[in-house]
């Protein structure tokens, strides 16, 4: 990446987490991330979708261990996102396909007839349960297709990638479809980073790992656990994947262990 030289240029730290599925999250993984987050205090923390599971609002039959209480999951999320707000300069949230289950369930097949009703959206429910109003909330739409971090567009990824699981080389496929525009996404629960250079332009795609526990509907899944951090300088974002092993990772000479 060609960048003009600037004296004393400093980067801004941005981190993305996705597919946590509160309150069915992997506790050691989340705890290790929280230790890192509290120490590093990012400039921006972005929760890139599927922060709730809401399995009870889906067409799928819940497992015997799954809760039937969506408010319990919302309260769990609110507690954790408020802790992030206390540490980061800005916290942003984007709804993923699991989070969208709330609106589909509550508003039904004709959501337009209740468009002016108050207290029915997921954001309004989270605020009612105590979410810090400083959390910036996003929903992907035709008029808003993603969050910008430097030159990178971040999305949950369910509207671009098709069915859950997707192809083997997720990031290579996304770069081909985006015509070489850098992207980051979640949804697939898989950690990938792919760079491509063509005609003097270098771009990348990042598939963000997950933070959910293993679920009964997917035996021996090809999932990875962790998060992505970006160093943003002079309008350019540089990605670094952090992949955990059983709730433990090392970064910057330190070990972050979510089991203790």
């Amino acid at each position: 990446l060609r960048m003009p030289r600037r004296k004393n240029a400093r980067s801004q730290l941005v981190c993305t987490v996705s597919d946590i599925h509160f309150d069915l999250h992997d506790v050691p993984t989340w705890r290790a991330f929280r230790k890192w987050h509290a120490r590093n205090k990012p400039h921006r923390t972005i929760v890139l979708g599927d922060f709730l599971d809401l399995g009870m609002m889906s067409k799928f039959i819940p497992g015997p261990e799954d809760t039937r209480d969506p408010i319990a999951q919302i309260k769990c999320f609110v507690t954790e996102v408020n802790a992030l707000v206390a540490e980061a300069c800005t916290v942003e949230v984007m709804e993923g396909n699991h989070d969208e289950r709330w609106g589909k369930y509550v508003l039904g097949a004709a959501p337009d007839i209740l468009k002016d009703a108050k207290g029915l959206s997921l954001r309004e429910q989270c605020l009612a349960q105590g979410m810090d109003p400083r959390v910036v909330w996003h929903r992907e739409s035709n008029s808003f297709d993603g969050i910008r971090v430097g030159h990178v567009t971040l999305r949950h990824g369910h509207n671009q990638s098709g069915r859950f699981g997707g192809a083997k080389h997720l990031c290579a496929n996304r770069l081909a479809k985006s015509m070489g525009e850098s992207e980051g996404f979640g949804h697939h629960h898989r950690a990938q980073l792919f760079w491509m250079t063509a005609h003097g332009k270098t771009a990348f795609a990042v598939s963000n790992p997950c933070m959910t526990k293993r679920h009964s509907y997917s035996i021996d899944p090809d999932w990875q656990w962790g998060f992505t951090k970006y160093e943003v300088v002079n309008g350019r974002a540089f990605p670094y994947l952090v992949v955990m092993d059983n709730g433990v990772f090392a970064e910057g000479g330190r070990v972050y262990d979510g089991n203790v």
Side-chain angles (χ1 to χ4, degrees):
L1 298 176
R2 296 173 180 172
M3 299 173 55
R5 291 190 177 184
R6 297 184 184 180
K7 293 183 178 180
N8 302 321
R10 295 183 62 85
S11 65
Q12 290 184 336
L13 178 62
V14 179
C15 72
T16 62
V17 293
S18 68
D19 305 279
I20 313 167
H21 293 255
F22 289 121
D23 55 356
L24 303 179
H25 58 295
D26 185 72
V27 173
T29 297
W30 179 252
R31 189 182 292 143
F33 167 72
R34 286 284 295 108
K35 290 181 177 181
W36 177 89
H37 191 274
R39 178 174 179 79
N40 290 277
K41 295 179 172 54
H43 181 73
R44 293 172 69 186
T45 297
I46 300 171
V47 184
L48 204 57
D50 283 4
F51 47 90
L52 299 175
D53 188 76
L54 299 182
M56 74 293 293
M57 291 181 165
S58 75
K59 63 182 179 181
F60 303 104
I61 299 174
E65 75 283 2
D66 294 339
T67 179
R68 298 285 295 173
D69 183 2
I71 303 303
Q73 294 188 348
I74 290 174
K75 287 181 176 179
C76 182
F77 161 70
V78 166
T79 297
E80 299 299 335
V81 79
N82 285 352
L84 300 180
V85 170
E87 297 164 355
C89 294
T90 303
V91 174
E92 300 174 60
V93 169
M94 171 172 274
E95 292 188 24
N97 54 298
H98 278 253
D99 314 308
E100 289 174 353
R101 289 172 173 175
W102 176 274
K104 293 176 181 178
Y105 189 92
V106 172
L107 301 177
D112 57 296
I113 66 174
L114 294 172
K115 62 182 176 63
D116 294 324
K118 302 299 182 183
L120 297 183
S121 73
L122 181 57
R123 178 180 181 273
E124 289 168 333
Q125 186 56 224
C126 288
L127 287 169
Q129 298 299 333
M131 184 180 75
D132 193 305
R134 290 175 292 178
V135 173
V136 181
W137 196 280
H138 302 285
R139 290 197 68 193
E140 192 175 343
S141 66
N142 289 333
S143 59
F144 179 79
D145 66 352
I147 301 170
R148 295 289 292 185
V149 172
H151 69 298
V152 182
T153 300
L154 301 181
R155 305 181 178 97
H156 179 62
H158 60 301
N159 291 323
Q160 291 78 28
S161 302
R163 291 183 59 82
F164 180 85
K168 184 175 182 179
H169 300 292
L170 302 168
C171 291
N173 288 350
R174 282 308 310 156
L175 275 181
K177 291 181 179 179
S178 71
M179 301 294 288
E181 294 299 320
S182 294
E183 294 187 5
F185 54 90
H187 183 56
H188 298 281
H189 298 196
R190 289 160 65 185
Q192 291 186 1
L193 173 58
F194 184 81
W195 292 82
M196 180 178 70
T197 301
H199 304 289
K201 177 183 177 181
T202 297
F204 63 83
V206 181
S207 176
N208 202 66
C210 70
M211 291 193 173
T212 188
K213 69 179 184 179
R214 291 170 175 82
H215 296 275
S216 58
Y217 61 76
S218 182
I219 306 300
D220 190 26
D222 180 15
W223 296 351
Q224 293 80 51
W225 287 261
F227 63 100
T228 306
K229 68 173 189 173
Y230 296 85
E231 297 278 353
V232 183
V233 59
N234 297 341
R236 308 295 292 180
F238 299 87
Y240 302 88
L241 268 174
V242 178
V243 178
M244 301 191 200
D245 184 5
N246 295 317
V248 180
F249 71 97
E251 189 264 350
R254 290 183 174 270
V255 175
Y256 297 89
D257 189 344
N259 299 283
V260 295

